[in-house]
Amino acid sequence: MLKKDANWWRQAAIYQIYPRSFKDSDGDGLGDIKGITQGAKYLKSLSLDAVWLSPFFPSALADGGYDVADYRNVDPRLGTLKDFDAMLKALHAEGIRVFVDIVPNHSSDQHEWFQAALAAKPGSKERNRYIFRDGRGKNGELPPNDFVSHFAPSAWTRSKNPDGSAGQWYFHMFAPEQPDFNWDNREVQLDFLKTLKFWSVRGVDGFRIDVAHALKKDFTRFNKSYTKMDSMKIKADGSDILFDRDEVHKIYREWRKLFNQYNPPRVAVAEAYVPASRRTQYASPDELGQAFNFDLLQTPFSSKEYKRIVTENIELASESGSSSTWVLNNHDVVRTVTKFGLPNGTDLNQWLLSDGKSIKVDLALGEKRARAAAMFIMALPGCSYMYQGEELGLFEVADLRPEDMQDPNWSRNVVLKKERVFFKKQGKMITGLAEIHLEKGRDGCRVPLPWRPSGPSFGFGAGKAHLPQPREYGPLSVQSQSNVKGSTLDIYRTALKLRKKLQTTEEFEWIKTGDPQVLHLSRKNGWHCIMNFDGADFTLPQGEVLHSSSPLKGRKLPKNTTVWLKA
Ligand code: GLC
């Protein structure tokens, strides 16, 4: 049962569920809410404090559910609100809390407000919930400015008037099916408070806030130029046109007042890709309380970088009054087993675009390193986040066929290039236009979980999975690894169980090792964690070995391995 502890989240182990790929209870190929309920015992076996569910709301799936058509409902393909309540109850009964993903920057173009905006006139109250502008050019045929979107060349799409004629343009930071809200509009602000209340009253324990740094925009500068390059170098002073503006914090201070009306207060974590020094404000106790630290997720396997990042983030977290968060995987990035199995510095997108053929990946090495890194972050003060399948050592599926891919990153980042190809029929070279994809996308880390070594979709469901699983996922299934000593699942289960007992106060210190490839940290209660990145076998100091990410050589710690000791 859950304790009414207001600080439960400070050092929690939190598991991200991507609902459409977790477990399919009805055989339609899509994971669903009842599937999560069925997985409750499994989640319990991982000694988790909480799970975070990526969006399960009604959606046209233009961006894996991050295009929400109704914030206060469940996608009928995934279940009903009743199913949601039953799931919440089942997880709570196992002592696991639940986070819901809130997507406040944009809705789906299928949202009733957006549909109403399209049907209404320029300047209307309905249009003012979004960001509509007249186009440039003689007949408004040019977009209002050069803003670029993450998934399409332009951040503007021209709308159609109800009579079919071309109308105003609307702004979307992501796909055209994801129109951005106008957060200067009080009606939008109030509606999100209603949504947060709706889920809090149902008993949801926390929220993950999607692109939390993008809500406020400087509309007075919407006539200025802003290229993709600009979005890559946001200044750390709150002055950017689109991202991390100071005014955004007013929104979260209002949300905090709502969160604190519950017992225990609802918690929240910001997804904000901002410089480390700017993260603290999102994480402060009078705002969201926590913010994702993505520094490790963006870093190669390097002792120097890990040490720098940990030191910096622990200092920053204590400045803000929050605890730090540690993340190695999520639904947006290449899985660690693959990333660490490739040479440091590999351009992962280019590698994916080659279907994983340009460089041979060493999965055995990647798995070893991924486990070692996971046990390292679990020993740090703060929250350990993990992403479904990480505990099974799943690798990135790099060779999905174009017809199977769903991510707009793949389908929308396309350029046309003139190419000469030999046409068999005509028996000659012909010049034509070929589509060149610039991004492979994120489907490779969203392939459904294998639960059993064989059968349709490896026990994910009774039918074909919505993204095909590779043959090699069978031996990595939950059933194949359960009770197998030394399997990745076994290493995770043991580590998470121990972690729950060992996490006490948030102090920690670095201990000198004499080898720059070996990091040693200790916690106040005599818990030591030593990680050998790429050094020679390292002789362990005194202490009882509690657990290791891979076998030790007697009292020696080989490279790519982490050990926990009790001194
Ligand atoms: C966040 C999500 C990502 C999504 C984007 C737009 O970054 O993690 O999956 O595509 O927001 O909502």
Side-chain angles (χ1 to χ4, degrees):
M1 264 297 139
L2 300 174
K3 281 194 229 128
K4 279 215 177 342
D5 168 12
N7 283 321
W8 70 266
W9 52 274
R10 290 193 69 93
Q11 305 217 68
I14 304 180
Y15 181 94
Q16 180 190 357
I17 292 182
Y18 193 73
R20 289 177 182 79
S21 297
F22 183 70
K23 196 158 191 352
D24 167 19
S25 73
D26 58 8
D28 67 355
L30 272 188
D32 45 40
I33 300 290
K34 278 191 179 152
I36 302 173
T37 312
Q38 289 174 359
K41 285 270 177 287
Y42 173 66
L43 296 168
K44 161 97 176 165
S45 80
L46 293 171
S47 309
L48 303 169
D49 296 293
V51 293
W52 142 38
L53 310 185
S54 277
F56 50 79
F57 317 105
S59 166
L61 299 183
D63 180 19
Y66 283 89
D67 46 320
V68 180
D70 179 356
Y71 290 86
R72 301 187 279 274
N73 216 333
V74 175
D75 187 326
R77 288 166 294 189
L78 269 58
T80 61
L81 278 171
K82 223 170 129 204
D83 296 337
F84 180 89
D85 291 340
M87 176 211 65
L88 194 62
K89 205 166 155 208
L91 291 183
H92 280 172
E94 301 294 3
I96 300 171
R97 301 182 201 251
V98 176
F99 278 45
V100 165
D101 211 320
I102 297 293
V103 189
N105 180 65
H106 45 266
S107 71
S108 156
D109 61 349
Q110 303 302 310
H111 191 287
E112 61 168 344
W113 274 8
F114 192 70
Q115 289 299 317
L118 291 179
K121 292 211 161 41
S124 58
K125 147 176 166 287
E126 288 80 2
R127 289 219 167 168
N128 192 35
R129 293 168 181 148
Y130 292 90
I131 305 168
F132 278 84
R133 296 286 183 274
D134 292 331
R136 286 174 304 144
K138 220 162 140 213
N139 301 307
E141 70 280 11
L142 297 172
N145 62 26
D146 64 353
F147 288 5
V148 283
S149 118
H150 284 289
F151 297 146
S154 173
W156 296 97
T157 292
R158 195 164 193 188
S159 65
K160 273 204 179 98
N161 293 320
D163 66 4
S165 60
Q168 283 190 300
W169 296 71
Y170 66 88
F171 177 80
H172 50 86
M173 207 167 252
F174 295 89
E177 295 88 349
Q178 294 169 291
D180 280 39
F181 280 116
N182 168 15
W183 269 90
D184 286 2
N185 184 332
R186 187 64 185 152
E187 211 189 340
V188 171
Q189 298 170 8
L190 291 176
D191 198 62
F192 272 92
L193 287 171
K194 194 168 161 190
T195 295
L196 294 168
K197 195 167 172 186
F198 176 88
W199 294 108
S200 298
V201 167
R202 285 200 116 76
V204 158
D205 307 276
F207 301 96
R208 179 255 189 198
I209 313 303
D210 191 65
V211 263
H213 58 310
L215 275 45
K216 280 290 199 169
K217 284 124 187 152
D218 184 359
F219 294 130
T220 65
R221 288 193 287 159
F222 258 47
N223 52 353
K224 294 268 180 315
S225 171
Y226 190 96
T227 62
K228 199 148 197 154
M229 284 309 283
D230 294 316
S231 69
M232 284 173 174
K233 40 175 202 221
I234 309 172
K235 279 206 208 119
D237 62 2
S239 69
D240 193 81
I241 304 182
L242 298 178
F243 295 100
D244 192 29
R245 296 192 55 75
D246 287 336
E247 306 91 84
V248 81
H249 297 289
K250 198 168 161 220
I251 300 172
Y252 300 132
R253 283 195 286 274
E254 188 169 28
W255 287 16
R256 172 51 56 193
K257 287 197 188 114
L258 180 110
F259 296 152
N260 286 352
Q261 287 168 17
Y262 300 92
N263 181 20
R266 301 309 184 232
V267 300
V269 57
E271 185 215 29
Y273 277 94
V274 294
S277 62
R278 299 278 299 176
R279 209 178 285 143
T280 45
Q281 203 168 340
Y282 295 86
S284 77
D286 65 341
E287 293 195 19
L288 295 173
Q290 226 180 24
F292 278 125
N293 148 22
F294 291 126
D295 299 353
L296 288 179
L297 170 133
Q298 294 169 315
T299 300
F301 193 77
S302 146
S303 55
K304 193 167 154 223
E305 281 303 290
Y306 272 51
K307 184 160 187 187
R308 182 188 63 75
I309 288 170
V310 169
T311 310
E312 178 183 54
N313 279 285
I314 288 188
E315 267 168 29
L316 285 172
S318 65
E319 254 174 48
S320 71
S322 183
S323 61
S324 194
T325 57
W326 309 107
V327 189
L328 293 166
N329 288 284
N330 67 28
H331 67 296
D332 289 331
V333 296
V334 171
R335 285 188 178 274
T336 39
V337 167
T338 299
K339 177 172 126 176
F340 293 153
L342 287 164
N344 272 354
T346 302
D347 180 329
L348 295 173
N349 181 45
Q350 286 306 322
W351 181 80
L352 285 174
L353 283 168
S354 79
D355 281 352
K357 293 195 179 94
S358 57
I359 305 176
K360 195 167 159 38
V361 54
D362 182 344
L363 288 179
L365 173 69
E367 185 190 44
K368 250 184 137 183
R369 290 185 160 180
R371 287 177 181 189
M375 269 187 64
F376 177 76
I377 68 163
M378 283 183 209
L380 292 167
C383 261
S384 274
Y385 277 85
M386 70 199 87
Y387 172 52
Q388 69 178 38
E390 183 184 321
E391 76 285 10
L392 301 175
L394 295 190
F395 54 86
E396 183 84 7
V397 184
D399 55 357
L400 287 167
R401 294 174 312 174
E403 55 270 37
D404 290 322
M405 290 196 286
Q406 304 169 7
D407 187 358
N409 257 332
W410 160 259
S411 53
R412 294 203 165 275
N413 282 301
V414 174
V415 287
L416 293 174
K417 198 178 150 203
K418 264 196 187 160
E419 260 191 8
R420 278 180 74 72
V421 272
F422 184 74
F423 245 62
K424 252 196 191 154
K425 254 193 191 163
Q426 276 93 339
K428 58 178 175 188
M429 296 292 285
I430 291 194
T431 305
L433 286 178
E435 275 195 348
I436 308 284
H437 290 266
L438 303 177
E439 302 239 2
K440 184 67 177 271
R442 303 159 294 177
D443 291 312
C445 66
R446 299 175 180 181
V447 172
L449 289 193
W451 290 82
R452 285 199 298 270
S454 58
S457 63
F458 300 116
F460 165 66
K464 225 171 112 210
H466 70 107
L467 276 170
Q469 301 145 302
R471 223 174 344 118
E472 296 81 0
Y473 267 27
L476 295 174
S477 73
V478 172
Q479 202 184 80
S480 315
Q481 296 193 51
S482 285
N483 306 316
V484 175
K485 236 187 141 15
S487 68
T488 301
L489 180 57
D490 176 59
I491 301 284
Y492 265 73
R493 275 188 173 141
T494 307
L496 286 160
K497 196 166 163 197
L498 275 169
R499 179 188 189 276
K500 205 162 202 156
K501 274 201 271 172
L502 292 168
Q503 282 288 12
T504 48
T505 53
E506 289 175 37
E507 292 91 346
F508 101 109
E509 65 175 326
W510 291 116
I511 301 209
K512 284 213 169 78
T513 64
D515 182 340
Q517 286 296 336
V518 181
L519 298 185
H520 180 168
L521 63 99
S522 89
R523 305 290 298 270
K524 266 239 157 122
N525 54 356
W527 178 19
H528 289 250
C529 171
I530 310 175
M531 177 167 175
N532 184 347
F533 283 75
D534 201 15
D537 290 349
F538 179 79
T539 305
L540 294 179
Q542 282 196 342
E544 177 199 350
V545 172
L546 297 174
H547 193 32
S548 64
S549 62
S550 292
L552 302 177
K553 294 183 182 163
R555 291 289 298 180
K556 293 213 188 265
L557 177 69
K559 62 182 175 186
N560 306 314
T561 310
T562 296
V563 68
W564 290 355
L565 301 177
K566 183 89 187 169

PDB file of all heavy atoms in Angstrom, residues 63 66 103 106 151 174 178 208 210-211 271 331-332 442 446, ligand 1:
ATOM      1  N   ASP A  63       1.898  11.559 -33.998  1.00  0.00           N
ATOM      2  CA  ASP A  63       3.190  11.568 -33.302  1.00  0.00           C
ATOM      3  C   ASP A  63       3.115  10.640 -32.087  1.00  0.00           C
ATOM      4  O   ASP A  63       3.269  11.078 -30.949  1.00  0.00           O
ATOM      5  CB  ASP A  63       3.545  13.010 -32.886  1.00  0.00           C
ATOM      6  CG  ASP A  63       4.883  13.081 -32.161  1.00  0.00           C
ATOM      7  OD1 ASP A  63       5.678  12.130 -32.285  1.00  0.00           O
ATOM      8  OD2 ASP A  63       5.127  14.091 -31.455  1.00  0.00           O
ATOM      9  N   TYR A  66       1.475  11.801 -28.929  1.00  0.00           N
ATOM     10  CA  TYR A  66       1.798  13.147 -28.439  1.00  0.00           C
ATOM     11  C   TYR A  66       1.021  14.205 -29.248  1.00  0.00           C
ATOM     12  O   TYR A  66       1.404  15.355 -29.332  1.00  0.00           O
ATOM     13  CB  TYR A  66       3.309  13.399 -28.453  1.00  0.00           C
ATOM     14  CG  TYR A  66       3.985  12.704 -27.284  1.00  0.00           C
ATOM     15  CD1 TYR A  66       4.436  11.394 -27.394  1.00  0.00           C
ATOM     16  CD2 TYR A  66       4.115  13.333 -26.052  1.00  0.00           C
ATOM     17  CE1 TYR A  66       5.019  10.741 -26.310  1.00  0.00           C
ATOM     18  CE2 TYR A  66       4.698  12.691 -24.969  1.00  0.00           C
ATOM     19  CZ  TYR A  66       5.148  11.395 -25.104  1.00  0.00           C
ATOM     20  OH  TYR A  66       5.710  10.761 -24.022  1.00  0.00           O
ATOM     21  N   VAL A 103       0.590  16.978 -22.275  1.00  0.00           N
ATOM     22  CA  VAL A 103       1.188  17.581 -23.476  1.00  0.00           C
ATOM     23  C   VAL A 103       0.566  18.965 -23.684  1.00  0.00           C
ATOM     24  O   VAL A 103      -0.412  19.119 -24.429  1.00  0.00           O
ATOM     25  CB  VAL A 103       0.934  16.677 -24.714  1.00  0.00           C
ATOM     26  CG1 VAL A 103       1.726  17.169 -25.914  1.00  0.00           C
ATOM     27  CG2 VAL A 103       1.279  15.228 -24.418  1.00  0.00           C
ATOM     28  N   HIS A 106       0.907  21.684 -27.426  1.00  0.00           N
ATOM     29  CA  HIS A 106       0.101  21.565 -28.650  1.00  0.00           C
ATOM     30  C   HIS A 106      -0.945  20.495 -28.435  1.00  0.00           C
ATOM     31  O   HIS A 106      -0.778  19.605 -27.609  1.00  0.00           O
ATOM     32  CB  HIS A 106       0.994  21.156 -29.814  1.00  0.00           C
ATOM     33  CG  HIS A 106       1.943  20.057 -29.460  1.00  0.00           C
ATOM     34  ND1 HIS A 106       3.235  20.297 -29.022  1.00  0.00           N
ATOM     35  CD2 HIS A 106       1.796  18.714 -29.399  1.00  0.00           C
ATOM     36  CE1 HIS A 106       3.829  19.154 -28.746  1.00  0.00           C
ATOM     37  NE2 HIS A 106       2.973  18.167 -28.950  1.00  0.00           N
ATOM     38  N   PHE A 151       9.438  18.511 -37.252  1.00  0.00           N
ATOM     39  CA  PHE A 151       9.109  17.386 -38.120  1.00  0.00           C
ATOM     40  C   PHE A 151       8.844  17.777 -39.571  1.00  0.00           C
ATOM     41  O   PHE A 151       8.576  16.922 -40.400  1.00  0.00           O
ATOM     42  CB  PHE A 151       7.840  16.677 -37.617  1.00  0.00           C
ATOM     43  CG  PHE A 151       7.962  16.067 -36.257  1.00  0.00           C
ATOM     44  CD1 PHE A 151       6.869  16.034 -35.408  1.00  0.00           C
ATOM     45  CD2 PHE A 151       9.142  15.491 -35.827  1.00  0.00           C
ATOM     46  CE1 PHE A 151       6.951  15.450 -34.155  1.00  0.00           C
ATOM     47  CE2 PHE A 151       9.241  14.911 -34.580  1.00  0.00           C
ATOM     48  CZ  PHE A 151       8.146  14.896 -33.739  1.00  0.00           C
ATOM     49  N   PHE A 174       5.819  21.168 -33.954  1.00  0.00           N
ATOM     50  CA  PHE A 174       6.059  19.774 -34.361  1.00  0.00           C
ATOM     51  C   PHE A 174       5.307  19.529 -35.677  1.00  0.00           C
ATOM     52  O   PHE A 174       5.372  20.357 -36.562  1.00  0.00           O
ATOM     53  CB  PHE A 174       5.693  18.821 -33.218  1.00  0.00           C
ATOM     54  CG  PHE A 174       6.604  19.018 -32.021  1.00  0.00           C
ATOM     55  CD1 PHE A 174       6.311  19.928 -31.020  1.00  0.00           C
ATOM     56  CD2 PHE A 174       7.803  18.317 -31.938  1.00  0.00           C
ATOM     57  CE1 PHE A 174       7.181  20.145 -29.959  1.00  0.00           C
ATOM     58  CE2 PHE A 174       8.681  18.525 -30.887  1.00  0.00           C
ATOM     59  CZ  PHE A 174       8.360  19.435 -29.893  1.00  0.00           C
ATOM     60  N   GLN A 178      -0.151  18.867 -35.130  1.00  0.00           N
ATOM     61  CA  GLN A 178       0.039  19.246 -33.720  1.00  0.00           C
ATOM     62  C   GLN A 178       0.070  20.771 -33.569  1.00  0.00           C
ATOM     63  O   GLN A 178       1.128  21.358 -33.288  1.00  0.00           O
ATOM     64  CB  GLN A 178       1.356  18.643 -33.206  1.00  0.00           C
ATOM     65  CG  GLN A 178       1.344  17.126 -33.143  1.00  0.00           C
ATOM     66  CD  GLN A 178       2.737  16.549 -32.888  1.00  0.00           C
ATOM     67  OE1 GLN A 178       3.606  16.631 -33.751  1.00  0.00           O
ATOM     68  NE2 GLN A 178       2.949  15.967 -31.725  1.00  0.00           N
ATOM     69  N   ARG A 208       4.243  13.990 -16.029  1.00  0.00           N
ATOM     70  CA  ARG A 208       5.434  14.321 -16.805  1.00  0.00           C
ATOM     71  C   ARG A 208       4.977  15.385 -17.787  1.00  0.00           C
ATOM     72  O   ARG A 208       3.959  15.228 -18.454  1.00  0.00           O
ATOM     73  CB  ARG A 208       5.936  13.059 -17.501  1.00  0.00           C
ATOM     74  CG  ARG A 208       7.172  13.265 -18.387  1.00  0.00           C
ATOM     75  CD  ARG A 208       6.797  13.240 -19.840  1.00  0.00           C
ATOM     76  NE  ARG A 208       7.941  13.221 -20.731  1.00  0.00           N
ATOM     77  CZ  ARG A 208       7.875  13.545 -22.016  1.00  0.00           C
ATOM     78  NH1 ARG A 208       6.717  13.873 -22.556  1.00  0.00           N
ATOM     79  NH2 ARG A 208       8.932  13.516 -22.767  1.00  0.00           N
ATOM     80  N   ASP A 210       5.374  17.443 -21.028  1.00  0.00           N
ATOM     81  CA  ASP A 210       5.998  17.386 -22.347  1.00  0.00           C
ATOM     82  C   ASP A 210       6.430  18.786 -22.817  1.00  0.00           C
ATOM     83  O   ASP A 210       5.689  19.754 -22.637  1.00  0.00           O
ATOM     84  CB  ASP A 210       4.957  16.816 -23.323  1.00  0.00           C
ATOM     85  CG  ASP A 210       5.535  16.457 -24.667  1.00  0.00           C
ATOM     86  OD1 ASP A 210       6.366  15.538 -24.725  1.00  0.00           O
ATOM     87  OD2 ASP A 210       5.153  17.084 -25.670  1.00  0.00           O
ATOM     88  N   VAL A 211       7.599  18.850 -23.433  1.00  0.00           N
ATOM     89  CA  VAL A 211       8.202  20.134 -23.875  1.00  0.00           C
ATOM     90  C   VAL A 211       7.794  21.326 -23.000  1.00  0.00           C
ATOM     91  O   VAL A 211       7.284  22.344 -23.474  1.00  0.00           O
ATOM     92  CB  VAL A 211       7.971  20.471 -25.376  1.00  0.00           C
ATOM     93  CG1 VAL A 211       9.139  20.062 -26.213  1.00  0.00           C
ATOM     94  CG2 VAL A 211       6.719  19.874 -25.977  1.00  0.00           C
ATOM     95  N   GLU A 271       9.932  17.928 -18.903  1.00  0.00           N
ATOM     96  CA  GLU A 271      10.814  17.598 -20.020  1.00  0.00           C
ATOM     97  C   GLU A 271      11.199  18.941 -20.619  1.00  0.00           C
ATOM     98  O   GLU A 271      10.399  19.586 -21.294  1.00  0.00           O
ATOM     99  CB  GLU A 271      10.102  16.751 -21.073  1.00  0.00           C
ATOM    100  CG  GLU A 271      11.069  16.319 -22.171  1.00  0.00           C
ATOM    101  CD  GLU A 271      10.464  16.249 -23.582  1.00  0.00           C
ATOM    102  OE1 GLU A 271       9.514  16.996 -23.881  1.00  0.00           O
ATOM    103  OE2 GLU A 271      10.953  15.471 -24.388  1.00  0.00           O
ATOM    104  N   HIS A 331      11.671   6.985 -24.909  1.00  0.00           N
ATOM    105  CA  HIS A 331      11.041   6.641 -26.188  1.00  0.00           C
ATOM    106  C   HIS A 331      11.508   7.517 -27.344  1.00  0.00           C
ATOM    107  O   HIS A 331      10.991   7.385 -28.454  1.00  0.00           O
ATOM    108  CB  HIS A 331       9.518   6.760 -26.030  1.00  0.00           C
ATOM    109  CG  HIS A 331       9.107   8.188 -25.805  1.00  0.00           C
ATOM    110  ND1 HIS A 331       9.476   8.906 -24.689  1.00  0.00           N
ATOM    111  CD2 HIS A 331       8.393   9.058 -26.558  1.00  0.00           C
ATOM    112  CE1 HIS A 331       9.009  10.135 -24.767  1.00  0.00           C
ATOM    113  NE2 HIS A 331       8.342  10.255 -25.891  1.00  0.00           N
ATOM    114  N   ASP A 332      12.428   8.441 -27.082  1.00  0.00           N
ATOM    115  CA  ASP A 332      12.888   9.360 -28.130  1.00  0.00           C
ATOM    116  C   ASP A 332      14.318   9.093 -28.586  1.00  0.00           C
ATOM    117  O   ASP A 332      14.799   9.769 -29.493  1.00  0.00           O
ATOM    118  CB  ASP A 332      12.819  10.816 -27.621  1.00  0.00           C
ATOM    119  CG  ASP A 332      11.399  11.334 -27.485  1.00  0.00           C
ATOM    120  OD1 ASP A 332      10.521  10.868 -28.232  1.00  0.00           O
ATOM    121  OD2 ASP A 332      11.163  12.194 -26.614  1.00  0.00           O
ATOM    122  N   ARG A 442      12.227   7.359 -34.455  1.00  0.00           N
ATOM    123  CA  ARG A 442      12.352   6.758 -33.127  1.00  0.00           C
ATOM    124  C   ARG A 442      11.597   5.448 -32.962  1.00  0.00           C
ATOM    125  O   ARG A 442      11.431   4.951 -31.853  1.00  0.00           O
ATOM    126  CB  ARG A 442      11.852   7.792 -32.089  1.00  0.00           C
ATOM    127  CG  ARG A 442      12.594   9.107 -32.163  1.00  0.00           C
ATOM    128  CD  ARG A 442      11.824  10.245 -31.547  1.00  0.00           C
ATOM    129  NE  ARG A 442      10.600  10.533 -32.310  1.00  0.00           N
ATOM    130  CZ  ARG A 442       9.704  11.453 -31.970  1.00  0.00           C
ATOM    131  NH1 ARG A 442       9.886  12.188 -30.893  1.00  0.00           N
ATOM    132  NH2 ARG A 442       8.624  11.636 -32.699  1.00  0.00           N
ATOM    133  N   ARG A 446      10.727   1.747 -29.911  1.00  0.00           N
ATOM    134  CA  ARG A 446       9.319   1.634 -29.490  1.00  0.00           C
ATOM    135  C   ARG A 446       8.704   0.297 -29.885  1.00  0.00           C
ATOM    136  O   ARG A 446       7.490   0.134 -29.851  1.00  0.00           O
ATOM    137  CB  ARG A 446       8.526   2.787 -30.112  1.00  0.00           C
ATOM    138  CG  ARG A 446       9.026   4.152 -29.679  1.00  0.00           C
ATOM    139  CD  ARG A 446       8.309   5.263 -30.403  1.00  0.00           C
ATOM    140  NE  ARG A 446       8.806   6.569 -29.966  1.00  0.00           N
ATOM    141  CZ  ARG A 446       8.360   7.733 -30.405  1.00  0.00           C
ATOM    142  NH1 ARG A 446       7.386   7.754 -31.296  1.00  0.00           N
ATOM    143  NH2 ARG A 446       8.852   8.863 -29.947  1.00  0.00           N
TER     144      ARG A 446
HETATM  145  C1  GLC B   1       8.413  15.279 -26.529  1.00  0.00           C
HETATM  146  C2  GLC B   1       8.127  13.787 -26.617  1.00  0.00           C
HETATM  147  C3  GLC B   1       8.244  13.352 -28.042  1.00  0.00           C
HETATM  148  C4  GLC B   1       7.252  14.141 -28.877  1.00  0.00           C
HETATM  149  C5  GLC B   1       7.418  15.640 -28.691  1.00  0.00           C
HETATM  150  C6  GLC B   1       6.254  16.400 -29.227  1.00  0.00           C
HETATM  151  O1  GLC B   1       9.722  15.588 -26.811  1.00  0.00           O
HETATM  152  O2  GLC B   1       8.987  13.091 -25.764  1.00  0.00           O
HETATM  153  O3  GLC B   1       8.032  11.992 -28.187  1.00  0.00           O
HETATM  154  O4  GLC B   1       7.417  13.826 -30.223  1.00  0.00           O
HETATM  155  O5  GLC B   1       7.512  15.977 -27.327  1.00  0.00           O
HETATM  156  O6  GLC B   1       5.128  16.240 -28.408  1.00  0.00           O
END
